[in-house]
Amino acid sequence: MRQEVAGPNPEAEAYLTLTERVAAARAALAENSERMAAAAERLRATRYSLANGRSQREQLHESAYARLLAKLETMPVIEQAKGILIAQTGCTPEEAFDMLRRASQRSNVRVSELAAGIVDRAVTRARPGPEPGQDPPGQVRGARLLA
């Protein structure tokens, strides 16, 4: 009869260690295969975008063009605001723009928006309004709106 000895069996430990090693190797292989598949997909997408899409240079060019268009749209109102500041303060054009820029930074408002506000206020002040004691045009004193 064969007697089993209690305690660690070196052959069983070697077998388990080998089995564990194989399992770890298979897991690593599966993980590496997934990473390779993802990298291959990114490569395919990059090749497709280069073949069918625009190059980075074209994208940058389009972005610069859009910025120039935006600048052209806002430049007239900024120039008008500079003119108003020059007329009111007697400063140079550079000083007027510096005043706009500093006020823009202090109030966290774009220079173009600040300039538009200055121009709007100057236009509304320049419009003739009714003299004190007179009714605005189109209204009759004592007239009420009918509901």
Side-chain angles (χ1 to χ4, degrees), residues 9 42 51 54 59 61 69 86 95 126 129:
N9 183 351
R42 286 194 309 271
R54 299 173 306 173
Q59 291 173 0
H61 175 60
L69 285 178
I86 291 168
E95 292 170 333

Side-chain angles (χ1 to χ4, degrees), residues 48-97:
Y48 178 80
S49 68
L50 288 175
N52 298 325
R54 299 173 306 173
S55 68
Q56 185 177 9
R57 180 180 174 148
E58 289 172 332
Q59 291 173 0
L60 288 173
H61 175 60
E62 184 176 297
S63 174
Y65 180 70
R67 283 193 307 274
L68 284 173
L69 285 178
K71 190 173 184 180
L72 280 174
E73 290 175 4
T74 61
M75 190 180 291
V77 74
I78 293 172
E79 292 298 319
Q80 289 172 351
K82 281 173 43 180
I84 293 167
L85 291 174
I86 291 168
Q88 289 179 350
T89 64
C91 63
T92 66
E94 292 79 22
E95 292 170 333
F97 184 77

Side-chain angles (χ1 to χ4, degrees), residues 4 9 19 21-22 27 42 60 64 80 97-98 101 107 117 121 123 132 134 140:
E4 301 245 351
N9 183 351
T19 304
R21 282 189 195 164
V22 169
R42 286 194 309 271
L60 288 173
Q80 289 172 351
F97 184 77
D98 193 48
R101 182 187 54 77
S107 59
R121 280 192 297 279
V123 168
Q134 289 185 343
V140 178

